[in-house]
Structure formats: structure tokens, C-alpha cells
């Protein structure tokens, strides 16, 4: 991509490592500023405003200057040094300069901007002169290619100074204004949240900037896992170099420097936890996870705590003993594993042994680790063939999706080394097919047959499997039979049309088919299963007394459905559901999805399935389900150092008793588990804290393996040190998983959960202000820790998510998203809580194409998700990892539409509302947008990326677009600015000792919010 320094504030700055808490910086020569190219899609004055007149640098009022709480008008560009110094209000306006550089901070005032409508906060008051920067950060100079303010140190604009001239030495004040803090170790952001100043929302921490800046750095740098203590933001694409500490793709600790005792942890307000995604996908350029075979003896393990051998175990007595890094027990080294050590105690063969040098390894394990003979993964596709499924086109789309998942398209270029078509599923894996409506139909797909045989089983009370062999076949040997079967299925059931499916008996008979081997079911459903034993009923009629949804609708009390889920896990079977709700009707996802979430599977939910629009998404998601790395019959255990203990697990699994292993039917690359820890003693700050997760599972190709991930964290007696090494993505992921588990397993209502999330955010900010703030700040400032600047925004996103938000939301969607939060990893959750919004009507000519220097695609910077950023005539791509919208302003230029969609598509009404992808055209813009979409496809979890059009005042999807603008006031919650004001008042009450915690006597929602009301309530 482009040169890193052009992405710096005011186009100046050296290459900085955003992860190094102690970095320093020096001024760099100014960058060349190219002239601004005219927007090719200009539609007259109303469409794209003219460029700002020279000198009109800021829109609204200038951002608050450095060093003092009160904004002063920015000095003129050519002002003398004294004018600049006074304008920066450093000290008292005299020429005195503060000596202690590390305490120099930026202040922001957070108030609802006067004269702006609350719903679209930030739209300029009447009479503001038009500028081209309506949706840009005011501080970007013309020609700078980065919208948003990616000054690595602060994210906030420095005052407009005279251009830097190497011949004139800078004063410390100018230097600070230019390059932000010198010592970045512990630099919080400040927001004056009271007082009379008007502040533009640009002055509060920006999530898009916090993602885009590190992304630039990691395009040309790898992430060494042992040298860097704070991982990159979760949505950043980076290459990790495993140095013995597991990569952040597999493991993320909330704190990479842990307080030595519980009091220290409590003073931070943060959870101590670990996010585990053991089968996460690696990026090209990363080393594969090594697979090690120790024969019949298995990998060396600690005799006391059963931890596996890892890089942090110490060898003593010349190599004849190894000391466990978790429980400090000295073990005898097995004779076959013995090796001499150097005088420093390092094994001579250390570099040849991946288990002693790599943080994530896999061991193949002997028979005592087996529960049953491992075989290749058996896939069983259970296809709903009821009337609703046929009428909706869901049956046909699902069959096409299975074909696309198993076989490359004809003439496809996917060939292996021998010139054979490349296998989508590994050798040894097999597939089988079952369809169901009121009866269950099994298919014999033996390759010797000309076409598949259908066996009907109508006994729903005591279902069984009517054929012994021929149900599971190699998909490549039986390709002709399977292809003809899936092509004929939709016509086969066109005339039968049974309206009601019998789902539970189907699951029971499928389980008996998979019981001996274990495996995975992929099941489609498009109507409430109201037939047969243990049928389901319409529980949710949409009427909720008291406005809150009844908690019973979030779980299932149905004993038969709970029982089948437990039986599946015991047999090592999991299930993925593809649910298409009939016209958005009720499907009881709480009961059906319970089976998927308990067994470690996933539910793909299409609340309003439309065949033309959603086929591509369905097909890609089935393909992803089948081809992603999947293991089954899994057990998981997490071990930690003496002095710590596990307090809870969060995710999709069964745990029979506390302390037992987690039992998981199937686990795949997109699933993550959260683990929280507590103290059972005091940690020694001279030693490190160690964590090891072990996942015992059978691979899709039929090997029994253990995947070990080892993580290390330093320990500090001073909790203030720990605040420098917080991983904010892990913190809100743990909090989100905890909230989702709480809703399902305790008596807490949605209101309690939202209140709890607010309280948690206030606790963190108040704890920092009270215990760790290095200097005294005026009470009107909200102080945010350097590593948690965007934390408040993510927490607001969590409160606005469908799972927890106030207001009306169907129970199906709530439950689906709640379970999704419980199982997703940090990269997917980050995008879900704060979508990526990219303007595509004003792309630079080189955006969306590979950079000449680095070869990476140049992705335009994302902008804040707020309506105040939307330009008239603008077109925006908004992606939250679950769905991707292409939003068109009503005044979009016809030229842009023709460039994007082709001849004849020159008005919004002429576009096909059901199109899910862009046509391939020879225009520059079309190629740019298609490349950007292809890039976004590589940065996702389990959901496929297909675009959905949202045209202003035409499509219903515009409501979804409005929901995704989470910095605005929507989803029954405040705007970002008001949320910070609200948090600040909570922090002030806490500091004054007047804050009432939830659970206090007489505490009610009204009293908790007393005194926390922003002016507009």
C-alpha cells in the first residue's frame, strides 16, 4: 500500500510501531502533497461541493489544541511563534513550556453540538459555509489520501502550525503538536465532557482510525509473538511469527501484564480472561501449525497437572528432569526424549524441536486418547422438502449450494499436483443424504448404481436407519449419482407438498446413522416443525406484556430437544442449521438452535429468504461450512499457573461438572471459547504467568490429535503497569460472551444486562481515573486509558446489538445473535459491533488496485458510521461481517450508476433490488469496487459476503443501514457523544462516592440513572 508516512497527521511522521508502548518519534520532512483531482461523478453544485477556499482548514470550529482544556482559535498559518504558542494554550499562555513531556495530552470537549439535530448529530448548523469536508475529518489537508485522522500517537488533530522547515529547529511545544506524545507509554485521551465548549464529534476516539493505522504498519511488518506484548487490533490483517508464544489468531489475553493479586485486578475493573480460537485460519505467509508424532508413548506431559510439553518448561540436572511451567513440579524426562543441555540449561536440540520453540503445535496421540476408532468425517445432509421450502426456492438453492460445496464448477481451474480435480473435502471423509417432510427418506448413493435409491421411513415414533451401507459414500467416487440426485430433488417433491416437517424424528434417525463414527449434520429447515412426536408450537406471538420479551422464549424447556443435543455431543456429532423463515415468520430458533449451539455447530438464519437475492449467500455459506477446518469428538481443557484458577467458560459446549473437560460435538475454524480466571493466591511478580489450552479432537481426515496453544503474560505488583498492556478486543469479547451466557443461564433480564454493561464501562473508566491517572485532571474531563480508547464505542455497539438492545425485536433474531456472540471470535465480533463503512463515490484512481511498491491492495480508509458523514449523492459500502449493504443516496450521479452497473442502469429505480453481486464491467470504478469487495471477503468469519442494495427512500434494507450507523442515536440507545457524556457523569458520581451500584437496596433503574441524564432527556 501507500507509503506509511502519508497516513500520518498533516502528512508528516516516521514509521511508528503502534504496538510499542515506549516508542519515541522524531520529526520527519514534510510529504509531497499532490493536487486534488476533481470528482469524476460531479453533478453540479449540490452533488459534490467545491474545494474549500485556502485557509478554510476546519469545518465547524477547529479541534481543541494541544495542552489545555479550552479551545482557542487556531493561529493563522503564517503567524509568529508567539502567536502559535498562545494559541496552543500551553501552560498559562506565556512562553513557559512544561518539562515533563510524557504528561502532555490532548483534551476534547464532549457535548451535544448546539444547533444540530440529535438524530443526525454533527450535521452543521444553518449558515455553515459549505466545504468539501462534510464527511471528512476537518484536519485532513487537500490531497492527503486518508480521510480520518490517523496520527498514530493520538488520533486527534494537532493545531494548524506553520509548515515544518528542517532549517528552523522546533520548540518542544511545536514538536509535540506535530508528532503527538513523545513517550507513548501511558498516554490517555481526554474528553472534557462538561463546560460550554462546542465540540465536533471528530474529537472523540475513532474506531476506523484505530484499525486503519496499524493495518498500514502490518502490511510491511510481521508481528513477532514474543517481542510485542499487545496484539494488533482484531480486524487487522497481519502475519504472525510464532516465537513460542501462541499467535493472537489462536489466543488473546485481556491483559498481557497481569496484576499479582485480586485487589490489583479489581482496581482496573477489567476481566482477566483468554479468548481461544484453536482452529483459526492462518494467512498466506504464516508457518503451518507443526504436527508431531511421539509414537505409542504420546507427547511428554507433567505427571502432576498433565500439562503438555511446551517452550516454557525448564530442563534441569543436565536434561534428566523438566520442571513444569504451570505447577512447578519436577518431572523425570522420558528416556526416549532425553537430550543433553548446554551450561545455560537449554537443550542442545531445542531448535530442531517445534514443541520447544513454537507456541501452537499439534500432537498425534496414541490409542489411550481415543473414545472410538477415528475415521474420516462423515457429513450427513438433511434436506427439508416441505411445501414451504419448495415454494420459496429454498430447496433448489440448498441443493445447488451442496453441489457447489462438494464439486468445483465444470471447467474450474482447481486442480491438484497430479492434474486431478482438487478435493474440497479431505480423503477419508464421506457424505450421505436424507430428505424429510412428514416422512424421512434415506438415499443409497452407491457408485455402482445408475441413480440413487430412495428408502422411505415412516415410523416417526421409533425412527431407525433403513440401510446398512450405501448411505455414506466418497463424494468423488459417486459424483454422477449425487449430482443427478441433487438435480432431481426439487422436481421430485414438486407435487407432493407436505406442509409440515417432522424435524426431531429426522435428527434422531440421523444420529443413529452417525452414532458409531461421529460426524456432522448439515440440516435445512423452512417451516416450524409442527409434525410428529415432540413437535413445536407457536410460542412467540409478538405480544409482550410490559414491553420486555419473556425470558422463556430465549431458551428451550423441551426435554426431548435437550436430550437429543446431549446424546449428539456424547456420540461426537454436531449439527449446522440453515433456517429460512417463511416471510419472516416464527421458527422457534431458541429450541432448534439449542441443538446446534450445544453440539458446537452453528445456525445460519435467513429471516426473509428471497430466492433470487439470497441464493449466492446460501451457496457460499454451505461451501464455507463444508470446506473450513472442522474437527469432531472434541474435548477441551485449559490450564493456568499456580495462583490462578479458572472461574468460568463461555461458548458452545457441554460441561457436566465445573472443572470437567468441555465436551464439544464439532468444532471449526470460526468458533471461539472465552475463559475467565480468578485468583486463589498471590502471583510472584518475578515469574511469568502461563496458560495452556489443549483441544483433543479428530480431524476431518480421521486422525486423533491434540492442539496445544501456550500463552505467557508478565506479572506486575503495580497494576498501573498492567494498563499499558491491555488488549481491548479481548476485553469486550469476554464481556460480550459473559453477557450472552448470563442472559441464557441466570434470571437477569435484558434491561439488567444493558445496565450491567453500562456499569462495567463506568467501572473501567472510573477505576483508571481513580487509581492510575498520572496527573490531576479537571473534573470536567473524561480520561480514557491509551489502550482502551475505543472501548466505550464497542460497549455502546454491544448495547445496540440485536441480542441486547431495548425495544421490539423478534425472539428468533435475538436468540440467534446472542448465541452467535457466544461462539464468535474477536475479529468477527469487532466488525459486528462496529461496521466498516467505505465511501466509493470519491475513490482515488489508485484505490482498489495493488500498490506498485508493496503489491498489497490499496483499500480506501473507512469512515465513522454516522449519518453526519454521509455526503449528498454518496454511495457507501457498509459491512458488519454478517451482511454487506451498498447504500445509495437519492441524488446519486447517473454516471456513477452506469459505471458500476452498466449501460441502461442510470437511475436508482432501474437497478435490480435482488442483485447480490456487481456485474463484471470494463470500467475503472467497477473494477475498484469489485476488488475491494473481494478483499473484504478475506476478512470475515463464517458468514458469506454478498451485497444487498439499499437505495435511499426505496429499499427496506435502508432500515438496516440506519441500524448500522451506530455512532448515531438509534437502536433505543444514545449517540456516541451522548454516551460519553453519560459515562462521564457516572465516573464523576463514582469519584464523588455518590454512585449507586446495581443490586444496592432501593436501587431501581430510575434511581441509577438519576443525575446521569444528558440535557435532551
Amino acid at each position: 500500500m501507500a507509503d506509511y508516512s502519508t497516513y500520518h497527521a498533516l502528512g508528516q511522521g516516521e514509521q511508528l510501531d503502534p504496538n510499542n508502548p515506549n516508542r519515541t518519534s522524531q520529526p520527519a520532512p514534510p510529504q509531497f502533497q499532490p493536487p486534488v483531482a476533481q470528482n469524476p461523478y460531479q453533478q453540479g453544485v449540490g452533488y459534490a461541493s467545491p474545494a474549500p477556499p485556502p485557509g478554510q482548514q476546519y469545518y465547524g470550529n477547529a479541534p481543541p489544541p494541544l495542552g489545555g482544556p479550552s479551545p482557542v482559535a487556531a493561529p493563522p498559518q503564517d503567524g509568529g511563534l508567539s502567536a502559535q504558542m498562545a494559541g496552543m494554550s500551553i501552560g498559562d499562555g506565556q512562553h513557559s513550556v512544561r518539562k515533563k513531556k510524557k504528561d502532555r495530552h490532548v483534551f476534547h470537549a464532549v457535548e451535544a453540538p448546539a444547533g444540530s439535530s440529535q438524530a443526525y448529530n454533527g450535521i452543521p448548523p444553518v449558515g455553515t459555509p459549505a466545504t468539501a469536508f462534510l464527511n471528512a475529518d476537518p484536519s485532513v489537508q487537500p490531497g492527503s489520501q486518508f480521510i480520518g485522522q490517523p496520527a498514530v500517537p493520538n488520533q486527534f488533530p494537532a493545531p494548524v502550525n506553520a509548515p515544518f522547515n528542517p532549517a528552523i529547529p522546533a520548540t518542544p511545544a511545536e514538536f509535540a503538536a506535530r508528532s503527538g506524545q513523545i513517550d507513548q507509554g501511558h498516554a490517555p485521551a481526554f474528553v472534557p465532557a462538561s463546560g460550554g465548549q462546542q465540540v465536533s464529534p471528530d474529537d472523540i476516539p475513532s474506531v476506523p482510525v484505530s484499525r486503519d493505522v496499524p493495518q498500514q504498519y502490518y502490511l510491511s511488518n510481521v508481528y513477532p509473538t514474543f517481542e510485542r506484548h499487545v496484539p494488533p487490533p482484531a480486524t487487522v490483517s497481519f502475519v504472525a511469527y510464532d516465537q513460542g508464544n501462541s499467535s493472537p489468531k489462536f489466543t488473546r489475553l485481556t491483559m498481557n501484564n497481569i496484576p499479582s493479586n485480586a485487589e490489583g485486578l479489581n482496581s482496573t475493573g477489567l476481566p482477566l480472561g483468554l479468548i481461544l480460537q484453536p482452529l483459526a485460519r492462518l494467512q498466506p505467509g504464516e508457518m503451518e501449525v507443526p504436527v508431531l508424532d511421539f509414537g505409542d508413548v504420546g507427547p511428554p506431559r507433567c505427571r502432576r497437572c498433565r500439562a503438555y510439553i511446551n517452550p516454557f518448561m525448564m530442563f534441569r540436572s543436565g536434561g534428566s528432569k523438566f520442571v513444569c511451567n504451570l505447577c512447578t513440579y519436577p518431572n523425570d524426562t522420558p528416556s526416549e526424549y532425553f537430550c543433553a543441555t548446554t551450561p545455560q540449561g537449554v537443550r542442545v536440540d531445542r531448535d530442531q524441536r517445534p514443541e520447544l520453540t513454537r507456541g501452537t503445535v499439534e500432537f498425534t496421540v496414541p490409542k489411550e486418547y481415543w473414545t472410538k476408532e477415528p475415521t474420516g468425517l462423515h457429513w450427513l445432509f438433511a434436506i427439508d422438502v416441505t411445501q414451504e421450502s419448495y415454494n420459496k426456492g429454498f430447496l433448489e438453492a440448498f441443493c445447488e449450494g451442496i453441489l457447489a460445496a462438494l464439486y468445483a464448477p465444470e471447467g474450474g481451474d482447481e486442480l491438484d499436483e497430479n492434474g486431478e480435480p482438487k478435493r474440497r473435502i479431505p480423503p477419508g471423509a464421506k457424505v450421505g443424504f436424507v430428505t424429510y417432510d412428514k416422512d424421512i427418506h434415506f438415499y443409497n448413493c452407491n457408485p455402482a448404481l445408475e441413480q440413487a435409491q430412495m428408502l422411505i421411513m415412516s415410523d416417526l415414533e421409533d425412527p431407525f436407519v433403513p440401510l446398512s451401507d450405501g448411505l455414506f459414500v466418497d463424494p468423488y467416487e459417486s459424483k454422477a449419482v449425487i449430482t443427478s440426485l441433487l438435480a432431481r430433488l426439487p422436481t421430485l417433491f414438486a407435487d407432493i407438498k407436505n406442509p409440515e416437517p417432522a424435524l426431531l424424528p429426522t435428527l434422531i434417525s440421523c444420529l443413529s446413522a452417525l452414532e458409531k463414527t461421529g460426524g456432522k449434520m448439515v440440516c435445512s429447515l423452512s417451516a416450524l416443525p409442527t409434525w410428529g412426536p415432540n413437535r413445536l408450537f407457536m410460542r412467540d406471538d409478538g405480544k409482550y406484556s410490559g414491553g420486555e420479551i419473556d425470558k422463556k422464549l430465549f431458551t428451550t424447556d423441551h426435554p426431548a430437544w435437550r436430550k437429543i443435543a446431549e446424546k449428539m455431543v456424547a456420540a461426537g456429532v454436531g449439527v449446522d442449521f440453515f433456517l429460512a423463515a417463511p416471510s419472516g415468520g416464527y421458527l422457534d430458533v431458541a429450541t432448534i438452535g439449542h441443538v446446534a449451539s450445544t453440539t458446537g455447530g452453528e445456525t445460519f438464519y435467513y429471516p426473509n429468504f428471497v430466492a433470487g437475492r439470497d441464493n449466492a449467500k446460501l451457496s457460499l455459506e454451505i461451501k464455507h461450512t463444508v470446506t473450513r477446518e472442522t474437527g469432531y469428538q472434541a474435548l477441551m481443557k485449559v490450564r493456568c499457573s499456580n495462583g490462578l484458577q479458572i472461574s468460568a467458560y463461555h461458548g458452545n459446549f457441554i460441561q457436566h461438572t465445573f472443572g470437567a473437560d468441555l465436551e464439544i460435538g464439532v468444532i471449526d475454524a470460526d468458533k471461539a471459547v472465552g475463559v475467565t480466571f480468578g485468583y486463589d493466591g498471590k502471583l510472584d511478580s518475578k515469574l511469568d504467568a502461563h496458560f495452556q489450552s489443549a483441544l483433543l479432537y479428530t480431524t476431518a481426515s480421521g486422525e486423533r490429535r491434540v492442539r496445544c496453544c501456550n500463552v505467557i503474560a508478565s506479572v506486575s505488583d503495580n497494576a498501573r503497569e498492567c494498563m499499558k498492556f491491555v488488549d481491548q478486543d479481548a476485553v469486550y469479547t469476554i464481556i460480550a460472551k459473559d453477557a450472552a451466557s448470563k442472559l441464557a443461564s441466570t434470571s437477569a433480564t435484558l434491561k439488567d444486562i444493558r445496565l450491567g454493561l453500562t456499569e462495567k464501562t463506568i467501572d473501567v473508566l472510573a477505576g483508571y481515573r481513580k487509581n492510575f491517572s498520572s496527573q490531576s485532571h479537571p473534573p470536567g474531563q473524561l480520561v480514557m486509558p491509551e489502550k482502551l480508547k475505543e472501548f466505550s464505542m464497542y460497549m455502546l455497539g454491544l448495547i445496540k446489538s440485536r441480542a441486547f438492545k431495548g425495544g421490539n425485536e423478534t425472539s428468533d433474531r435475538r436468540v440467534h445473535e446472542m448465541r452467535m456472540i457466544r461462539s464468535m471470535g474477536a475479529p468477527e465480533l469487532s466488525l459486528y459491533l462496529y461496521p466498516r463503512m467505505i465511501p466509493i463515490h470519491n475513490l482515488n484512481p489508485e484505490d482498489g488496485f495493488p500498490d506498485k511498491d508493496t503489491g498489497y491492495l490499496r483499500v480506501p480508509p473507512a469512515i465513522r458510521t454516522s449519518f453526519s458523514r454521509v455526503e449528498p449523492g454518496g454511495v457507501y459500502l457498509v459491512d458488519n461481517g454478517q451482511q454487506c449493504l451498498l447504500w445509495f443516496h437519492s441524488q446519486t450521479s447517473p454516471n456513477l450508476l452506469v459505471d458500476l452497473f452498466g449501460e441502461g442502469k442510470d437511475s436508482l429505480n432501474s437497478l435490480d433490488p435482488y442483485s447480490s453481486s456487481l456485474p463484471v464491467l470494463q470500467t475503472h470504478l467497477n473494477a475498484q469496487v469489485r476488488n475491494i469487495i473481494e478483499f473484504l471477503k478475506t476478512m470475515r468469519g463464517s458468514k458469506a459476503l454478498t451485497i444487498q442494495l439499499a437505495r435511499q427512500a426505496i429499499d427496506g434494507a435502508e432500515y438496516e443501514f440506519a441500524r448500522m450507523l451506530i455512532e448515531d442515536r438509534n437502536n433505543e440507545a444514545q449517540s456516541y457523544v451522548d454516551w460519553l457524556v453519560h459515562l462521564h457523569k457516572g465516573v464523576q458520581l463514582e469519584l464523588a462516592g455518590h454512585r449507586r451500584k446495581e443490586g444496592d437496596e432501593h436501587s431501581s433503574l430510575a434511581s441509577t440513572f438519576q443525575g446521569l441524564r444528558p440535557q435532551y432527556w
Side-chain angles (χ1 to χ4, degrees):
M1 283 212 176
D3 180 28
Y4 183 75
S5 48
T6 49
Y7 284 71
H8 263 263
L10 309 180
Q12 296 163 355
E14 60 167 322
Q15 197 150 328
L16 284 183
D17 172 6
N19 269 321
N20 181 354
N22 302 316
R23 61 184 165 226
T24 56
S25 172
Q26 293 180 358
Q31 299 294 327
F32 167 65
Q33 298 279 356
V36 185
Q38 191 183 5
N39 187 335
Y41 304 111
Q42 203 142 345
Q43 205 182 319
V45 184
Y47 176 62
S49 316
Q56 186 185 321
Q57 183 81 6
Y58 290 104
Y59 155 63
N61 48 326
L66 198 82
S70 57
V72 181
Q77 285 274 20
D78 53 355
L81 184 60
S82 58
Q84 287 181 26
M85 293 294 287
M88 286 164 72
S89 73
I90 290 186
D92 52 2
Q94 308 302 318
H95 299 318
S96 60
V97 175
R98 189 189 297 150
K99 291 284 189 292
K100 196 173 171 195
K101 288 181 182 174
K102 74 193 288 182
D103 287 341
R104 193 176 288 127
H105 300 298
V106 179
F107 298 96
H108 326 272
V110 177
E111 280 298 324
S116 75
S117 78
Q118 274 300 341
Y120 300 123
N121 82 70
I123 283 184
V126 184
T128 308
T131 87
F133 296 133
L134 184 63
N135 83 321
D137 263 350
S139 51
V140 174
Q141 294 185 344
S144 128
Q145 31 163 311
F146 212 104
I147 302 180
Q149 192 60 29
V152 174
N154 280 331
Q155 303 184 354
F156 309 114
V160 185
N161 288 330
F164 170 63
N165 180 345
I168 306 169
T171 64
E174 284 180 298
F175 176 70
R178 201 178 290 129
S179 57
Q181 277 105 349
I182 319 299
D183 177 351
Q184 254 298 306
H186 201 213
F190 303 117
V191 183
S194 54
Q197 310 109 317
Q198 254 191 2
V199 165
S200 74
D202 297 323
D203 304 332
I204 48 187
S206 155
V207 173
V209 169
S210 73
R211 291 170 177 173
D212 286 340
V213 175
Q215 181 64 79
Q216 294 312 309
Y217 175 81
Y218 284 109
L219 288 177
S220 49
N221 293 273
V222 297
Y223 172 79
T225 60
F226 205 75
E227 294 164 29
R228 294 273 169 270
H229 286 301
V230 181
T235 49
V236 165
S237 165
F238 65 95
V239 172
Y241 172 55
D242 189 336
Q243 297 177 312
N245 202 16
S246 193
S247 158
K249 291 180 180 168
F250 302 116
T251 56
R252 275 178 177 268
L253 273 171
T254 55
M255 308 173 84
N256 294 282
N257 186 329
I258 297 175
S260 58
N261 53 26
E263 291 74 47
L265 183 65
N266 294 341
S267 69
T268 66
L270 296 169
L272 175 55
L274 179 63
I275 299 292
L276 286 166
Q277 197 169 339
L279 299 181
R281 276 189 301 281
L282 292 169
Q283 231 170 271
E286 293 186 320
M287 296 187 285
E288 289 293 317
V289 175
V291 180
L292 311 167
D293 191 351
F294 285 89
D296 289 343
V297 290
R301 299 180 67 177
C302 170
R303 286 179 53 193
R304 185 198 281 168
C305 69
R306 305 302 292 148
Y308 291 84
I309 189 81
N310 64 65
F312 306 110
M313 288 194 170
M314 306 288 288
F315 285 85
R316 298 268 165 82
S317 312
S320 61
K321 285 198 180 315
F322 65 93
V323 178
C324 175
N325 57 323
L326 296 171
C327 69
T328 66
Y329 180 74
N331 296 271
D332 292 331
T333 307
S335 55
E336 66 279 1
Y337 194 63
F338 175 80
C339 175
T341 57
T342 65
Q344 288 76 34
V346 178
R347 279 176 64 118
V348 177
D349 65 349
R350 180 185 169 89
D351 292 339
Q352 284 80 52
R353 290 204 170 268
E355 73 275 16
L356 299 179
T357 52
R358 302 276 293 276
T360 306
V361 292
E362 284 207 328
F363 302 111
T364 53
V365 289
K367 282 198 172 63
E368 57 260 32
Y369 291 82
W370 297 1
T371 42
K372 53 181 89 161
E373 182 79 30
T375 57
L377 182 56
H378 286 52
W379 292 90
L380 188 52
F381 293 94
I383 306 167
D384 172 9
V385 290
T386 53
Q387 181 179 350
E388 186 71 46
S389 182
Y390 175 78
N391 293 351
K392 272 268 186 288
F394 186 57
L395 170 57
E396 193 176 344
F398 195 72
C399 291
E400 285 170 4
I402 296 172
L403 276 175
L406 293 178
Y407 310 111
E410 285 302 316
D413 53 356
E414 294 188 32
L415 298 175
D416 60 17
E417 305 85 60
N418 310 326
E420 299 287 315
K422 195 170 174 189
R423 293 182 69 105
R424 291 280 179 81
I425 63 175
K430 296 187 171 178
V431 298
F433 297 91
V434 173
T435 57
Y436 67 100
D437 45 19
K438 284 198 306 196
D439 302 321
I440 306 167
H441 325 106
F442 286 80
Y443 295 87
N444 182 350
C445 294
N446 196 316
L449 299 170
E450 282 183 23
Q451 63 179 42
Q453 287 177 346
M454 177 183 189
L455 290 94
I456 299 179
M457 198 204 41
S458 50
D459 181 1
L460 300 183
E461 292 294 335
D462 187 15
F464 59 93
V465 184
L467 73 166
S468 56
D469 58 348
L471 175 60
F472 290 105
V473 292
D474 184 295
Y476 300 97
E477 289 173 9
S478 303
K479 182 172 179 180
V481 180
I482 291 173
T483 312
S484 75
L485 169 68
L486 291 172
R488 280 176 29 240
L489 273 182
T491 50
L492 204 59
F493 290 93
D495 304 325
I496 299 176
K497 295 197 173 167
N498 282 321
E500 299 176 289
L503 179 58
L504 190 69
T506 307
L507 293 178
I508 292 170
S509 59
C510 289
L511 173 60
S512 52
L514 287 167
E515 207 152 19
K516 289 193 178 63
T517 57
K520 180 151 188 184
M521 293 179 215
V522 177
C523 180
S524 73
L525 177 73
S526 59
L528 191 65
T530 50
W531 189 265
N534 296 307
R535 60 187 184 271
L536 298 177
F537 300 95
M538 187 77 176
R539 292 197 297 164
D540 183 1
D541 55 2
K543 300 187 184 79
Y544 311 125
S545 56
E548 279 277 316
I549 197 165
D550 187 354
K551 272 199 51 124
K552 279 205 223 77
L553 295 175
F554 292 153
T555 53
T556 176
D557 295 328
H558 213 302
W561 289 82
R562 285 182 172 279
K563 193 171 166 192
I564 181 83
E566 288 175 20
K567 277 187 173 170
M568 280 186 179
V569 175
V573 176
V575 55
D576 280 358
F577 282 110
F578 286 82
L579 307 178
S583 327
Y586 180 63
L587 270 186
D588 202 351
V589 175
T591 300
I592 297 167
H594 173 78
V595 181
S597 71
T598 307
T599 58
E602 185 165 5
T603 306
F604 295 86
Y605 180 56
Y606 305 88
N608 184 17
F609 184 84
V610 176
R613 181 191 68 201
D614 295 327
N615 282 12
K617 187 170 168 67
L618 175 67
S619 178
L620 287 167
E621 284 175 357
I622 297 172
K623 178 183 170 187
H624 180 74
T625 296
V626 172
T627 53
R628 65 185 168 188
E629 185 171 359
T630 304
Y632 66 105
Q633 276 182 25
L635 292 173
M636 188 178 214
K637 177 86 171 165
V638 178
R639 297 178 173 87
C640 54
S641 289
N642 286 344
L644 292 172
Q645 60 186 5
I646 289 164
S647 53
Y649 288 100
H650 307 289
N652 290 347
F653 49 77
I654 282 186
Q655 189 180 21
H656 287 300
T657 56
F658 185 72
D661 294 356
L662 309 185
E663 293 181 31
I664 307 170
V666 289
I667 185 163
D668 58 63
D670 299 311
K671 298 293 174 294
V673 173
V675 193
T676 50
F677 302 95
Y679 289 83
D680 62 359
K682 188 172 185 297
L683 297 175
D684 184 350
S685 58
K686 296 186 193 66
L687 303 175
D688 293 326
H690 297 266
F691 305 88
Q692 183 182 69
S693 78
L695 174 75
L696 172 65
Y697 72 108
T698 309
T699 64
S701 54
E703 267 194 298
R704 196 76 173 147
R705 292 183 185 171
V706 171
R707 179 163 290 201
C708 263
C709 299
N710 301 289
V711 199
I712 183 170
S714 48
V715 178
S716 175
D717 287 326
N718 180 2
R720 183 173 169 182
E721 276 299 302
C722 305
M723 294 303 286
K724 297 182 190 177
F725 301 101
V726 173
D727 180 353
Q728 123 181 314
D729 295 295
V731 171
Y732 63 72
T733 307
I734 282 278
I735 290 173
K737 286 180 183 293
D738 183 37
S741 306
K742 215 179 260 174
L743 198 54
S745 58
T746 66
S747 60
T749 62
L750 280 167
K751 201 184 273 180
D752 297 337
I753 296 289
R754 286 194 298 277
L755 192 58
L757 291 172
T758 308
E759 296 279 332
K760 187 73 183 160
T761 315
I762 293 174
D763 284 344
V764 171
L765 297 178
Y768 179 78
R769 178 71 185 260
K770 205 160 41 177
N771 304 315
F772 310 119
S773 201
S774 55
Q775 61 189 91
S776 56
H777 302 290
Q781 284 164 3
L782 177 60
V783 186
M784 296 179 182
E786 164 72 8
K787 294 291 177 204
L788 291 168
K789 270 193 211 147
E790 296 80 31
F791 173 67
S792 310
M793 181 68 249
Y794 283 116
M795 292 299 276
L796 178 61
L798 194 55
I799 288 172
K800 288 185 174 188
S801 69
R802 271 216 170 84
F804 304 121
K805 76 189 219 18
N808 281 338
E809 196 63 64
T810 62
S811 62
D812 274 357
R813 299 203 75 168
R814 271 198 199 277
V815 170
H816 169 244
E817 307 226 347
M818 206 186 315
R819 288 192 177 131
M820 203 169 71
I821 288 173
R822 237 176 34 210
S823 71
M824 63 172 49
E828 202 177 348
L829 183 66
S830 181
L831 210 52
Y832 171 75
L833 297 183
Y834 194 101
R836 190 185 269 121
M837 179 160 155
I838 298 176
I840 58 172
H841 55 283
N842 55 8
L843 294 175
N844 291 332
E846 64 275 10
D847 285 339
F849 291 106
D851 187 89
K852 292 187 183 65
D853 304 326
T854 62
Y856 288 103
L857 190 79
R858 287 177 63 118
V859 181
I863 61 171
R864 289 177 173 233
T865 51
S866 165
F867 203 81
S868 61
R869 308 289 166 157
V870 171
E871 295 179 0
V875 181
Y876 296 88
L877 198 62
V878 192
D879 173 28
N880 72 347
Q882 310 300 313
Q883 66 180 138
C884 180
L885 298 178
L886 191 56
W887 184 84
F888 296 89
H889 191 274
S890 55
Q891 298 166 8
T892 302
S893 156
N895 303 350
L896 185 147
L897 294 175
V898 169
D899 275 2
L900 209 49
F901 291 99
E903 292 300 326
K905 307 281 189 189
D906 57 355
S907 72
L908 290 180
N909 288 321
S910 64
L911 301 180
D912 174 11
Y914 289 163
S915 55
S916 60
S917 59
L918 292 177
V920 179
L921 303 176
Q922 296 303 310
T923 62
H924 190 79
L925 179 73
N926 180 276
Q928 285 180 299
V929 179
R930 278 187 295 110
N931 287 347
I932 290 168
I933 289 173
E934 285 303 317
F935 171 74
L936 293 180
K937 283 182 183 175
T938 64
M939 310 274 289
R940 292 170 81 75
S942 58
K943 305 296 188 294
L945 187 149
T946 54
I947 59 170
Q948 184 175 347
L949 302 189
R951 299 164 294 177
Q952 191 175 25
I954 299 176
D955 292 317
E958 209 196 351
Y959 289 110
E960 274 303 305
F961 173 72
R963 271 200 71 241
M964 287 190 191
L965 300 177
I966 60 167
E967 289 202 15
D968 293 336
R969 181 180 173 193
N970 53 20
N971 292 311
E972 317 291 327
Q974 300 136 305
S975 68
Y976 188 16
V977 172
D978 297 331
W979 166 245
L980 288 180
V981 171
H982 174 89
L983 290 179
H984 180 61
K985 296 202 169 152
V987 171
Q988 283 180 308
L989 287 175
E990 173 67 34
L991 293 176
H994 299 322
R995 177 165 158 242
R996 235 190 223 129
K997 284 279 183 86
E998 52 178 327
D1000 283 1
E1001 286 178 88
H1002 323 302
S1003 125
S1004 69
L1005 194 64
S1007 64
T1008 312
F1009 279 88
Q1010 211 68 47
L1012 297 187
R1013 295 182 175 178
Q1015 293 86 330
Y1016 70 87
W1017 277 7

